[in-house]
Amino acid sequence: MAATLLPIMNAEQVATLLECSKKTIEDHARKGTIPGAKFGDGWVFSADLVIEAVKQQSINKTPAKLSQKTVEAVALNFNPTSKGKSKPLPKLTAM
């Protein structure tokens, strides 16, 4: 059974939820990659907004990572047994 999230969470609770450190959460909050508000000496977060931000980051970054890997593999004429060494691309002849 899934645990019920509090509507407002502190940095430690968000860190537990996302399985990272409190410092990481605070760094993301300062950068604006996770929506939060400085409240007194700490940060507070809306659980709904944190979850939505994580979803958006996952959606936005996954295609970019995949396409970048694809571009690199094609550009290097990727061969998994080449241990990072690229083969020269075939020479094109003029028609």
Side-chain angles (χ1 to χ4, degrees), residues 18-89:
L18 299 179
E19 299 181 1
C20 62
S21 71
K22 178 181 172 185
K23 182 183 180 316
T24 297
I25 296 303
E26 291 171 343
D27 289 346
H28 279 285
R30 274 190 219 70
K31 293 176 190 173
T33 53
I34 293 179
K38 187 78 166 148
F39 194 78
D41 291 335
W43 287 86
V44 293
F45 304 87
S46 162
D48 291 338
L49 293 177
V50 168
I51 291 168
E52 188 59 34
V54 170
K55 285 180 186 178
Q56 286 303 314
Q57 288 181 27
S58 297
I59 290 167
N60 293 340
K61 289 185 178 183
T62 301
K65 287 180 183 176
L66 291 176
S67 64
Q68 182 62 32
K69 287 180 183 177
T70 301
V71 168
E72 290 171 1
V74 170
L76 294 174
N77 197 10
F78 181 72
N79 178 349
T81 61
S82 68
K83 298 183 182 179
K85 297 178 183 175
S86 62
K87 295 180 183 177
L89 293 173

